Amino acid sequence: MSCTKVTDFGIPYLRGLHELSYLDLLGCPVTFASLETISGFTSLLQLNLNRCGLSDVGCQKLSDLIQLKDLNLGYNRITDACLINLKGLINLESLNLEYCRISSEGLLSIEGLTSLRTLELSETAVEALSHLSGLHNLENLNLSCTLVNDNSLAALSTLTSLKSLNLGDLLLTDVGLPFLSSLIGLTHLDLSDYLFDGFGLDNLKCFTNLQSLEICDGFLDDHYVDSIKGLTSLNLLNLSFNIGFTDRTLESISGLTALCLLNLTYNTDITDAGLRHLTPLKNLRSLYLDFTQVTAGELRRLHRDVLPNLVIFQPR
């Protein structure tokens, strides 16, 4: 029923669906008053209330949804007061609070949800992360566009089950990276807009399981890439909008033969001459070199003669 005009008045018509396990009300103009009916679905495992315009009014009934494994409250006007009602939802494995009006204090209400595997906190006012340190089963954590700083990252050192961590668009520096050194199981890491000062990327060498690394707008240049070239498990590397790379960067990453996607958009000193360094990357399927000095004709030749597996490449 997502993106429909279903309101609180229509929800009671669902009462006969006793075995309902999944309910998607994304974008519907409902309120928490609908929980009077929804809380009666004792088999409900997944509930999506994203973008419903919800406030805290009536949120108390959330505490009745004790079987829930997946709860999406993203893009609503709820605050820390609403999160108090989640304390008893000990079966939750996925919780989305993106763009909600919550702060670090609100995280106290979810520190006991130790079954959580996925937690979405992007675009919130969260800063301190100490209440997350006991969520040892957490695998996916999105903290992008929050108030998290270098010192906040210390609380993540205990989350050794983490596989995906998004720290994009934060005011972080090299001081914060060492706090992540225990997270050796990471397979995806987003450090876009990270403020490296010359040695920070050396801390990435311990993440030998990384399959996806994104460092966009990081003010990087060629010498940083030496810290990346040992990450041979990478299949996605996004270094777009750094503007300091030259053909030497292409040479440095030529040993990352597992790469399927490479994005170096807006690195204006990369030229046609550097494309020869990409010839070992036989697994490449997507290559983005927009706003570089690479010409479309030379890139088409590379596709035709050397990298036939390319499906997407820019410029064309």
Side-chain angles (χ1 to χ4, degrees), residues 77-108:
R77 293 178 285 113
I78 61 173
T79 70
D80 295 343
C82 179
L83 301 190
I84 295 173
N85 301 287
L86 306 185
K87 285 185 175 181
L89 306 188
I90 58 175
N91 293 307
L92 270 186
E93 296 180 0
S94 177
L95 177 61
N96 188 335
L97 298 171
E98 180 182 12
Y99 229 102
C100 293
R101 300 176 182 179
I102 64 170
S103 68
S104 300
E105 287 73 20
L107 299 184
L108 176 63

mmCIF file of all heavy atoms in Angstrom, residues 77-108:
data_model
loop_
_atom_site.group_PDB
_atom_site.id
_atom_site.type_symbol
_atom_site.label_atom_id
_atom_site.label_comp_id
_atom_site.label_asym_id
_atom_site.label_seq_id
_atom_site.Cartn_x
_atom_site.Cartn_y
_atom_site.Cartn_z
ATOM 1 N N ARG A 77 8.733 13.138 11.875
ATOM 2 C CA ARG A 77 9.009 14.219 12.825
ATOM 3 C C ARG A 77 9.105 13.703 14.261
ATOM 4 O O ARG A 77 8.847 14.432 15.208
ATOM 5 C CB ARG A 77 7.927 15.297 12.699
ATOM 6 C CG ARG A 77 7.964 16.023 11.353
ATOM 7 C CD ARG A 77 6.857 17.059 11.199
ATOM 8 N NE ARG A 77 5.572 16.418 10.957
ATOM 9 C CZ ARG A 77 4.551 16.441 11.803
ATOM 10 N NH1 ARG A 77 4.662 17.024 12.979
ATOM 11 N NH2 ARG A 77 3.413 15.849 11.489
ATOM 12 N N ILE A 78 9.482 12.454 14.407
ATOM 13 C CA ILE A 78 9.566 11.883 15.744
ATOM 14 C C ILE A 78 10.843 12.334 16.439
ATOM 15 O O ILE A 78 11.829 12.675 15.806
ATOM 16 C CB ILE A 78 9.494 10.346 15.702
ATOM 17 C CG1 ILE A 78 10.668 9.771 14.902
ATOM 18 C CG2 ILE A 78 8.174 9.880 15.115
ATOM 19 C CD1 ILE A 78 10.758 8.263 14.958
ATOM 20 N N THR A 79 10.817 12.322 17.786
ATOM 21 C CA THR A 79 11.943 12.773 18.588
ATOM 22 C C THR A 79 12.406 11.650 19.520
ATOM 23 O O THR A 79 11.894 10.527 19.473
ATOM 24 C CB THR A 79 11.552 13.999 19.428
ATOM 25 O OG1 THR A 79 10.630 13.592 20.455
ATOM 26 C CG2 THR A 79 10.888 15.066 18.566
ATOM 27 N N ASP A 80 13.324 11.989 20.407
ATOM 28 C CA ASP A 80 13.816 11.015 21.390
ATOM 29 C C ASP A 80 12.690 10.419 22.214
ATOM 30 O O ASP A 80 12.764 9.265 22.645
ATOM 31 C CB ASP A 80 14.828 11.684 22.327
ATOM 32 C CG ASP A 80 16.089 12.122 21.607
ATOM 33 O OD1 ASP A 80 16.335 11.635 20.486
ATOM 34 O OD2 ASP A 80 16.833 12.941 22.168
ATOM 35 N N ALA A 81 11.643 11.204 22.438
ATOM 36 C CA ALA A 81 10.522 10.738 23.256
ATOM 37 C C ALA A 81 9.843 9.525 22.632
ATOM 38 O O ALA A 81 9.337 8.642 23.344
ATOM 39 C CB ALA A 81 9.504 11.866 23.446
ATOM 40 N N CYS A 82 9.839 9.454 21.322
ATOM 41 C CA CYS A 82 9.232 8.309 20.635
ATOM 42 C C CYS A 82 10.064 7.043 20.821
ATOM 43 O O CYS A 82 9.521 5.946 20.983
ATOM 44 C CB CYS A 82 9.073 8.627 19.153
ATOM 45 S SG CYS A 82 8.361 7.296 18.173
ATOM 46 N N LEU A 83 11.377 7.202 20.842
ATOM 47 C CA LEU A 83 12.261 6.036 20.894
ATOM 48 C C LEU A 83 12.138 5.264 22.201
ATOM 49 O O LEU A 83 12.465 4.073 22.250
ATOM 50 C CB LEU A 83 13.715 6.464 20.682
ATOM 51 C CG LEU A 83 14.031 7.178 19.361
ATOM 52 C CD1 LEU A 83 15.537 7.318 19.208
ATOM 53 C CD2 LEU A 83 13.433 6.446 18.175
ATOM 54 N N ILE A 84 11.650 5.899 23.240
ATOM 55 C CA ILE A 84 11.456 5.212 24.527
ATOM 56 C C ILE A 84 10.585 3.975 24.353
ATOM 57 O O ILE A 84 10.760 2.963 25.039
ATOM 58 C CB ILE A 84 10.846 6.173 25.559
ATOM 59 C CG1 ILE A 84 11.826 7.300 25.877
ATOM 60 C CG2 ILE A 84 10.441 5.447 26.819
ATOM 61 C CD1 ILE A 84 11.254 8.386 26.756
ATOM 62 N N ASN A 85 9.679 4.034 23.392
ATOM 63 C CA ASN A 85 8.742 2.935 23.176
ATOM 64 C C ASN A 85 9.343 1.763 22.411
ATOM 65 O O ASN A 85 8.669 0.753 22.188
ATOM 66 C CB ASN A 85 7.515 3.465 22.427
ATOM 67 C CG ASN A 85 6.815 4.568 23.179
ATOM 68 O OD1 ASN A 85 6.156 4.332 24.177
ATOM 69 N ND2 ASN A 85 6.978 5.799 22.709
ATOM 70 N N LEU A 86 10.584 1.870 22.026
ATOM 71 C CA LEU A 86 11.243 0.786 21.301
ATOM 72 C C LEU A 86 12.045 -0.130 22.217
ATOM 73 O O LEU A 86 12.543 -1.159 21.784
ATOM 74 C CB LEU A 86 12.180 1.357 20.229
ATOM 75 C CG LEU A 86 11.590 2.353 19.230
ATOM 76 C CD1 LEU A 86 12.643 2.716 18.185
ATOM 77 C CD2 LEU A 86 10.338 1.804 18.563
ATOM 78 N N LYS A 87 12.164 0.233 23.488
ATOM 79 C CA LYS A 87 13.034 -0.501 24.408
ATOM 80 C C LYS A 87 12.737 -1.988 24.468
ATOM 81 O O LYS A 87 13.640 -2.812 24.610
ATOM 82 C CB LYS A 87 12.928 0.094 25.814
ATOM 83 C CG LYS A 87 13.635 1.408 25.996
ATOM 84 C CD LYS A 87 13.581 1.850 27.460
ATOM 85 C CE LYS A 87 14.382 3.103 27.701
ATOM 86 N NZ LYS A 87 14.357 3.523 29.121
ATOM 87 N N GLY A 88 11.470 -2.354 24.364
ATOM 88 C CA GLY A 88 11.095 -3.758 24.501
ATOM 89 C C GLY A 88 11.099 -4.547 23.216
ATOM 90 O O GLY A 88 10.815 -5.755 23.223
ATOM 91 N N LEU A 89 11.437 -3.924 22.105
ATOM 92 C CA LEU A 89 11.402 -4.610 20.805
ATOM 93 C C LEU A 89 12.708 -5.361 20.583
ATOM 94 O O LEU A 89 13.491 -5.065 19.668
ATOM 95 C CB LEU A 89 11.140 -3.597 19.686
ATOM 96 C CG LEU A 89 9.902 -2.713 19.841
ATOM 97 C CD1 LEU A 89 9.673 -1.894 18.573
ATOM 98 C CD2 LEU A 89 8.660 -3.529 20.178
ATOM 99 N N ILE A 90 12.934 -6.347 21.420
ATOM 100 C CA ILE A 90 14.234 -7.019 21.468
ATOM 101 C C ILE A 90 14.493 -7.916 20.261
ATOM 102 O O ILE A 90 15.618 -8.401 20.081
ATOM 103 C CB ILE A 90 14.381 -7.846 22.755
ATOM 104 C CG1 ILE A 90 13.256 -8.889 22.849
ATOM 105 C CG2 ILE A 90 14.355 -6.932 23.969
ATOM 106 C CD1 ILE A 90 13.413 -9.829 24.030
ATOM 107 N N ASN A 91 13.476 -8.132 19.424
ATOM 108 C CA ASN A 91 13.678 -8.945 18.223
ATOM 109 C C ASN A 91 14.091 -8.117 17.014
ATOM 110 O O ASN A 91 14.383 -8.680 15.948
ATOM 111 C CB ASN A 91 12.399 -9.714 17.889
ATOM 112 C CG ASN A 91 12.069 -10.767 18.930
ATOM 113 O OD1 ASN A 91 12.908 -11.600 19.260
ATOM 114 N ND2 ASN A 91 10.870 -10.719 19.472
ATOM 115 N N LEU A 92 14.131 -6.777 17.163
ATOM 116 C CA LEU A 92 14.468 -5.926 16.028
ATOM 117 C C LEU A 92 15.857 -6.241 15.490
ATOM 118 O O LEU A 92 16.834 -6.287 16.235
ATOM 119 C CB LEU A 92 14.417 -4.455 16.427
ATOM 120 C CG LEU A 92 13.103 -3.697 16.272
ATOM 121 C CD1 LEU A 92 13.309 -2.219 16.594
ATOM 122 C CD2 LEU A 92 12.502 -3.854 14.893
ATOM 123 N N GLU A 93 15.907 -6.428 14.172
ATOM 124 C CA GLU A 93 17.180 -6.634 13.491
ATOM 125 C C GLU A 93 17.539 -5.457 12.596
ATOM 126 O O GLU A 93 18.714 -5.275 12.261
ATOM 127 C CB GLU A 93 17.119 -7.918 12.651
ATOM 128 C CG GLU A 93 16.928 -9.174 13.500
ATOM 129 C CD GLU A 93 16.858 -10.435 12.659
ATOM 130 O OE1 GLU A 93 16.965 -10.321 11.405
ATOM 131 O OE2 GLU A 93 16.685 -11.518 13.232
ATOM 132 N N SER A 94 16.538 -4.650 12.224
ATOM 133 C CA SER A 94 16.767 -3.499 11.355
ATOM 134 C C SER A 94 15.915 -2.332 11.828
ATOM 135 O O SER A 94 14.705 -2.477 12.018
ATOM 136 C CB SER A 94 16.425 -3.842 9.900
ATOM 137 O OG SER A 94 16.584 -2.720 9.054
ATOM 138 N N LEU A 95 16.555 -1.166 12.005
ATOM 139 C CA LEU A 95 15.852 0.036 12.473
ATOM 140 C C LEU A 95 16.332 1.231 11.660
ATOM 141 O O LEU A 95 17.524 1.524 11.600
ATOM 142 C CB LEU A 95 16.123 0.265 13.957
ATOM 143 C CG LEU A 95 15.521 1.529 14.584
ATOM 144 C CD1 LEU A 95 14.005 1.524 14.474
ATOM 145 C CD2 LEU A 95 15.947 1.663 16.038
ATOM 146 N N ASN A 96 15.379 1.916 11.031
ATOM 147 C CA ASN A 96 15.685 3.089 10.215
ATOM 148 C C ASN A 96 15.113 4.332 10.887
ATOM 149 O O ASN A 96 13.902 4.456 11.053
ATOM 150 C CB ASN A 96 15.093 2.934 8.816
ATOM 151 C CG ASN A 96 15.543 4.042 7.864
ATOM 152 O OD1 ASN A 96 15.897 5.138 8.282
ATOM 153 N ND2 ASN A 96 15.516 3.757 6.569
ATOM 154 N N LEU A 97 16.030 5.256 11.284
ATOM 155 C CA LEU A 97 15.639 6.524 11.907
ATOM 156 C C LEU A 97 16.172 7.707 11.107
ATOM 157 O O LEU A 97 16.317 8.812 11.636
ATOM 158 C CB LEU A 97 16.172 6.580 13.343
ATOM 159 C CG LEU A 97 15.639 5.498 14.285
ATOM 160 C CD1 LEU A 97 16.399 5.508 15.601
ATOM 161 C CD2 LEU A 97 14.148 5.681 14.536
ATOM 162 N N GLU A 98 16.429 7.495 9.842
ATOM 163 C CA GLU A 98 16.984 8.531 8.981
ATOM 164 C C GLU A 98 16.103 9.770 8.962
ATOM 165 O O GLU A 98 14.881 9.690 8.828
ATOM 166 C CB GLU A 98 17.136 7.985 7.555
ATOM 167 C CG GLU A 98 17.698 8.970 6.557
ATOM 168 C CD GLU A 98 17.782 8.379 5.165
ATOM 169 O OE1 GLU A 98 17.191 7.301 4.929
ATOM 170 O OE2 GLU A 98 18.447 8.993 4.318
ATOM 171 N N TYR A 99 16.732 10.919 9.103
ATOM 172 C CA TYR A 99 16.061 12.213 8.999
ATOM 173 C C TYR A 99 14.996 12.415 10.076
ATOM 174 O O TYR A 99 14.074 13.214 9.906
ATOM 175 C CB TYR A 99 15.440 12.413 7.614
ATOM 176 C CG TYR A 99 15.781 13.739 6.986
ATOM 177 C CD1 TYR A 99 16.742 13.840 5.995
ATOM 178 C CD2 TYR A 99 15.143 14.908 7.388
ATOM 179 C CE1 TYR A 99 17.076 15.053 5.421
ATOM 180 C CE2 TYR A 99 15.452 16.125 6.822
ATOM 181 C CZ TYR A 99 16.429 16.204 5.842
ATOM 182 O OH TYR A 99 16.742 17.411 5.283
ATOM 183 N N CYS A 100 15.125 11.731 11.190
ATOM 184 C CA CYS A 100 14.231 11.967 12.325
ATOM 185 C C CYS A 100 14.878 12.979 13.269
ATOM 186 O O CYS A 100 16.084 13.216 13.230
ATOM 187 C CB CYS A 100 13.958 10.660 13.076
ATOM 188 S SG CYS A 100 12.991 9.468 12.109
ATOM 189 N N ARG A 101 14.086 13.555 14.148
ATOM 190 C CA ARG A 101 14.559 14.624 15.026
ATOM 191 C C ARG A 101 15.087 14.045 16.339
ATOM 192 O O ARG A 101 14.619 14.369 17.426
ATOM 193 C CB ARG A 101 13.431 15.617 15.287
ATOM 194 C CG ARG A 101 12.911 16.261 14.014
ATOM 195 C CD ARG A 101 11.723 17.166 14.253
ATOM 196 N NE ARG A 101 11.223 17.733 13.005
ATOM 197 C CZ ARG A 101 10.174 18.557 12.919
ATOM 198 N NH1 ARG A 101 9.522 18.914 14.031
ATOM 199 N NH2 ARG A 101 9.780 19.023 11.746
ATOM 200 N N ILE A 102 16.051 13.178 16.213
ATOM 201 C CA ILE A 102 16.579 12.499 17.389
ATOM 202 C C ILE A 102 18.012 12.939 17.667
ATOM 203 O O ILE A 102 18.695 13.452 16.786
ATOM 204 C CB ILE A 102 16.522 10.968 17.233
ATOM 205 C CG1 ILE A 102 17.419 10.520 16.075
ATOM 206 C CG2 ILE A 102 15.091 10.500 17.024
ATOM 207 C CD1 ILE A 102 17.592 9.030 16.009
ATOM 208 N N SER A 103 18.455 12.715 18.896
ATOM 209 C CA SER A 103 19.800 13.099 19.320
ATOM 210 C C SER A 103 20.481 11.913 19.975
ATOM 211 O O SER A 103 19.926 10.811 20.058
ATOM 212 C CB SER A 103 19.718 14.260 20.309
ATOM 213 O OG SER A 103 19.119 13.834 21.520
ATOM 214 N N SER A 104 21.676 12.129 20.481
ATOM 215 C CA SER A 104 22.429 11.064 21.142
ATOM 216 C C SER A 104 21.689 10.516 22.349
ATOM 217 O O SER A 104 21.763 9.315 22.642
ATOM 218 C CB SER A 104 23.803 11.599 21.577
ATOM 219 O OG SER A 104 24.535 12.059 20.473
ATOM 220 N N GLU A 105 20.953 11.377 23.047
ATOM 221 C CA GLU A 105 20.205 10.923 24.218
ATOM 222 C C GLU A 105 19.172 9.869 23.839
ATOM 223 O O GLU A 105 18.894 8.944 24.604
ATOM 224 C CB GLU A 105 19.517 12.104 24.901
ATOM 225 C CG GLU A 105 20.444 13.038 25.657
ATOM 226 C CD GLU A 105 21.291 13.915 24.733
ATOM 227 O OE1 GLU A 105 20.917 14.079 23.551
ATOM 228 O OE2 GLU A 105 22.331 14.409 25.192
ATOM 229 N N GLY A 106 18.608 9.984 22.667
ATOM 230 C CA GLY A 106 17.609 9.021 22.224
ATOM 231 C C GLY A 106 18.162 7.627 22.037
ATOM 232 O O GLY A 106 17.421 6.635 22.144
ATOM 233 N N LEU A 107 19.470 7.526 21.781
ATOM 234 C CA LEU A 107 20.073 6.215 21.555
ATOM 235 C C LEU A 107 20.077 5.355 22.819
ATOM 236 O O LEU A 107 20.220 4.136 22.742
ATOM 237 C CB LEU A 107 21.504 6.373 21.034
ATOM 238 C CG LEU A 107 21.653 7.120 19.703
ATOM 239 C CD1 LEU A 107 23.111 7.119 19.268
ATOM 240 C CD2 LEU A 107 20.765 6.515 18.618
ATOM 241 N N LEU A 108 19.904 5.981 23.979
ATOM 242 C CA LEU A 108 19.800 5.220 25.223
ATOM 243 C C LEU A 108 18.651 4.223 25.166
ATOM 244 O O LEU A 108 18.728 3.136 25.743
ATOM 245 C CB LEU A 108 19.594 6.189 26.395
ATOM 246 C CG LEU A 108 19.359 5.569 27.776
ATOM 247 C CD1 LEU A 108 20.583 4.768 28.216
ATOM 248 C CD2 LEU A 108 19.041 6.661 28.797
#
